Amino acid sequence: MNKRKNSGYRKSGKNRNKSEKQYGQQPTARRSRTGGKSQGANDGRERSKKTVTAEVSCSGLTNDGKGIVQWKGKRLEVAHLMPGETAEVLVSTTGRTVKTELKRITNRSKDRVKPPCSYYYDCGGCQLQHMSERAQKRVKQETVEALMKSFGKPEPIMAMDHPYDYRNKSHTTFGLNKNRQIIGGLYAQNTHDIIPMDRCLIHDPKADEVVNTIKNMMKSFKMQPYNEDTRRGFLRHVLVKVGKVSGEIMVVLVAATSVFKGKNNFVNALRKTHPEITTILLNVNNRNDSMVLGDQEKVLFGKGTITDTLCGLKFDISAKSFYQINPVQTEKLYKKAIEMAQLTGKETVVDAYCGIGTIGLIASKKAGKVIGIELNKDAVRDAIGNSKRNGVKNARFYQGDAGHFMVQMAARGEKADVVIMDPPRSGSDEAFLSSVVKLQPKRVVYVSCNPVTQERDLKYLVKNGYAVESIQPVDMFPQTNHVETVVSLELKL
Ligand code: SAH
């Protein structure tokens, strides 16, 4: 059912698509293996597959960085093809489903570079490594410009000086190869096949070193990787979080069962090789779905959290709490968001979708009072701890659905001068936005990792009395097609 037809938004809270930004972890859903998007639905009947080689030229890019081509009157998408390029493309048709695969480039773009990562074309975690940094910046700028054109012209994107090694969080999945040797790595694009890899160029190198040690230890500790099909074995994933400033490291061993034979020896041996590990947890995930983390969690060593510093404040981060994955760019993003809020020291600021309270706590120095609202209870616990740890007296954090919370605030006739909102990829909802309109804060600062849903939500606010003042794209995820955008709006009455 397309709810947008009725209200424009999903109802708040329920049945949300779980994204990394929502739960601090990445779903591992299978994607289709070819880079090209399927066009048209397969009607379920068995159809034979027909593959032809087509000569195409690329006229532009989709929002997710794939090349757009025309073929026999159809618009097709081809992964890794760039505007201005011509190429031979394999086009496979099964029923009404059309898939594409880049075979040979016949005319190369001057912005094409050799991807520095040797797994790039199989992995799918990055989508733009075949483009120069200049081209990546341009693609993201143009994506935001095209989406936001009815609101104004975006500022030039804030790029990253060294656009690698930035991810402070990594997940690695373990399995056996054909020779029954233990392998660890990321899933190949659109599959649950593991690509064995020792290094991912956007990960913090320290995280990869720890994972490689674990992989080697598994053999000597006779620790079996989990097999999704037989549902046998022990270790499913390893999640590593690194505090960029503190250097603290969290290791989460995600296992299929809580029975961990030789646990103490394993923990001691790991710590011996990596004394920089400050906490180790066991997370038990015996479900058969695509989420990385299960509900049960046990601290095996240390305090169960790591600390990091952002914009001069210290933050405790749990395994399950969301924390921005690129701390270098996050500082730029937060500074911009708080500057856009134009605080004078008196305002009541709502930090909606606040995670572990980062934006609200950083803003608290310049605000009268901060009210943070967040769905994830671990994140709220971290936010409350973080406000104490930083001696912040004017911030309160609440657990709940942001939309529901705002409806209640509006019903009680409470006031908010500034709302800073940073929802997950799915965006906000009508409950939240209609309450913003009722509460009438003089300013709204909307931070988003998905400009498509952000644009939808901005339209609602603009229709209901707000005007967009400025639009700032920030490259939080270099080498990937993702772009973060912060937009400020002012109440016009
Ligand atoms: N502002 C934070 C977190 C942003 S990520 C930061 O910069 O770190 C988005 C956050 O929204 C996640 O912490 C997620 O748990 C939370 N969230 C998702 N759905 C929500 C909802 N319906 N109500 C409140 N919070 C929600």
Side-chain angles (χ1 to χ4, degrees):
M1 181 178 65
N2 181 1
K3 285 201 175 136
R4 290 195 63 182
K5 274 201 179 130
N6 309 328
S7 61
Y9 297 94
R10 271 172 292 91
K11 296 295 169 214
S12 56
K14 292 187 190 113
N15 297 327
R16 284 168 173 271
N17 177 22
K18 293 177 183 180
S19 71
E20 174 166 26
K21 207 165 176 183
Q22 232 164 327
Y23 291 111
Q25 57 169 313
Q26 213 166 23
T28 58
R30 287 167 210 260
R31 292 166 291 176
S32 111
R33 184 151 198 168
T34 54
K37 190 180 166 190
S38 306
Q39 269 110 28
N42 194 330
D43 59 11
R45 274 174 287 166
E46 274 301 315
R47 298 280 179 95
S48 60
K49 181 169 150 182
K50 218 174 77 195
T51 302
V52 296
T53 301
E55 294 208 3
V56 294
S57 64
C58 177
S59 56
L61 288 176
T62 62
N63 277 346
D64 49 4
K66 289 179 192 139
I68 300 169
V69 302
Q70 293 294 327
W71 180 70
K72 293 195 173 169
K74 284 197 191 99
R75 177 189 185 273
L76 300 182
E77 296 173 5
V78 184
H80 309 126
L81 193 60
M82 295 177 63
E85 290 186 329
T86 55
E88 288 173 7
V89 171
L90 294 178
V91 181
S92 312
T93 313
T94 319
R96 282 188 295 140
T97 305
V98 183
K99 289 180 179 173
T100 61
E101 195 182 325
L102 184 56
K103 190 175 157 195
R104 193 169 75 89
I105 300 164
T106 44
N107 181 27
R108 289 166 64 89
S109 162
K110 62 180 185 331
D111 283 318
R112 178 173 285 279
V113 294
K114 184 171 183 285
C117 171
S118 50
Y119 312 107
Y120 174 61
Y121 290 113
D122 290 323
C123 167
C126 295
Q127 300 78 25
L128 306 184
Q129 264 195 35
H130 62 288
M131 295 184 191
S132 65
E133 281 172 32
R134 191 183 59 164
Q136 290 193 26
K137 263 181 19 189
R138 196 174 57 225
V139 166
K140 295 186 189 197
Q141 186 76 28
E142 284 174 3
T143 301
V144 178
E145 258 170 34
L147 279 163
M148 303 290 169
K149 65 176 181 295
S150 62
F151 308 124
K153 195 169 164 55
E155 299 297 321
I157 189 165
M158 289 175 167
M160 192 177 183
D161 293 339
H162 172 66
Y164 287 98
D165 305 327
Y166 61 82
R167 263 197 90 102
N168 57 10
K169 181 175 88 167
S170 74
H171 306 127
T172 306
T173 305
F174 295 92
L176 294 176
N177 67 9
K178 277 195 227 114
N179 305 324
R180 303 201 59 75
Q181 282 164 328
I182 295 172
I183 52 167
L186 304 179
Y187 285 131
Q189 204 182 142
N190 312 321
T191 74
H192 270 202
D193 302 338
I194 298 162
I195 306 175
M197 61 172 86
D198 291 338
R199 176 82 186 107
C200 163
L201 296 178
I202 61 171
H203 284 172
D204 186 308
K206 206 74 218 170
D208 284 351
E209 279 173 33
V210 169
V211 171
N212 290 335
T213 302
I214 293 174
K215 189 168 54 197
N216 292 332
M217 282 172 60
M218 284 174 74
K219 283 174 213 147
S220 45
F221 280 81
K222 299 201 166 53
M223 188 186 271
Q224 281 303 308
Y226 180 74
N227 180 315
E228 281 186 339
D229 299 324
T230 61
R231 303 197 69 186
R232 284 211 160 119
F234 178 73
L235 193 65
R236 297 183 76 145
H237 313 277
V238 168
L239 168 71
V240 180
K241 291 192 178 187
V242 181
K244 201 82 179 176
V245 175
S246 67
E248 292 184 12
I249 296 182
M250 169 192 286
V251 175
V252 185
L253 304 166
V254 186
T257 156
S258 57
V259 184
F260 184 178
K261 284 186 211 129
K263 169 178 76 196
N264 293 343
N265 289 343
F266 189 89
V267 166
N268 290 339
L270 182 59
R271 284 180 56 208
K272 203 165 165 203
T273 317
H274 293 286
E276 65 278 21
I277 296 176
T278 46
T279 192
I280 303 176
L281 296 97
L282 176 70
N283 178 284
V284 182
N285 181 359
N286 48 23
R287 294 190 317 245
N288 209 7
D289 60 21
S290 59
M291 299 307 286
V292 174
L293 295 178
D295 296 330
Q296 245 188 80
E297 195 175 275
K298 196 170 155 197
V299 178
L300 304 180
F301 163 69
K303 59 185 170 120
T305 54
I306 52 164
T307 303
D308 201 23
T309 302
L310 214 50
C311 298
L313 295 191
K314 285 206 158 75
F315 294 98
D316 276 343
I317 306 150
S318 303
K320 285 188 194 157
S321 306
F322 175 86
Y323 183 62
Q324 298 285 355
I325 54 103
N326 183 337
V328 172
Q329 293 299 90
T330 300
E331 289 206 332
K332 296 184 194 165
L333 174 77
Y334 286 175
K335 277 187 192 144
K336 191 71 203 175
I338 292 166
E339 180 193 308
M340 282 174 167
Q342 298 183 28
L343 302 174
T344 63
K346 296 197 195 85
E347 292 82 2
T348 296
V349 177
V350 172
D351 177 8
Y353 310 90
C354 68
I356 61 169
T358 42
I359 301 179
L361 291 173
I362 295 165
S364 68
K365 285 180 262 178
K366 296 183 178 160
K369 160 170 130 184
V370 171
I371 302 166
I373 173 74
E374 162 63 45
L375 196 57
N376 179 319
K377 66 177 186 331
D378 292 351
V380 177
R381 191 194 52 217
D382 290 346
I384 294 167
N386 287 332
S387 84
K388 287 199 190 114
R389 168 182 253 289
N390 290 290
V392 174
K393 299 260 164 21
N394 59 344
R396 297 282 173 276
F397 292 94
Y398 301 92
Q399 195 244 321
D401 168 62
H404 185 236
F405 184 87
M406 291 289 276
V407 170
Q408 287 180 326
M409 261 187 94
R412 286 195 298 263
E414 287 178 38
K415 93 178 182 72
D417 301 301
V418 176
V419 169
I420 304 180
M421 56 189 287
D422 183 7
R425 289 190 65 75
S426 49
S428 190
D429 54 44
E430 195 171 18
F432 185 91
L433 296 167
S434 61
S435 306
V436 169
V437 170
K438 261 190 219 131
L439 286 169
Q440 303 218 320
K442 72 176 179 288
R443 212 167 290 283
V444 176
V445 178
Y446 190 150
V447 181
S448 168
C449 62
N450 184 353
V452 175
T453 53
Q454 185 182 33
E455 188 266 347
R456 177 199 68 196
D457 295 347
L458 289 175
K459 252 197 245 150
Y460 184 99
L461 292 172
V462 166
K463 217 185 264 169
N464 289 283
Y466 284 85
V468 170
E469 285 189 305
S470 67
I471 305 165
Q472 177 66 64
V474 182
D475 195 2
M476 296 280 280
F477 320 101
Q479 319 305 333
T480 78
N481 56 27
H482 298 284
V483 59
E484 189 94 9
T485 318
V486 50
V487 174
S488 65
L489 301 107
E490 197 183 25
L491 183 65
K492 293 272 171 229
L493 278 181

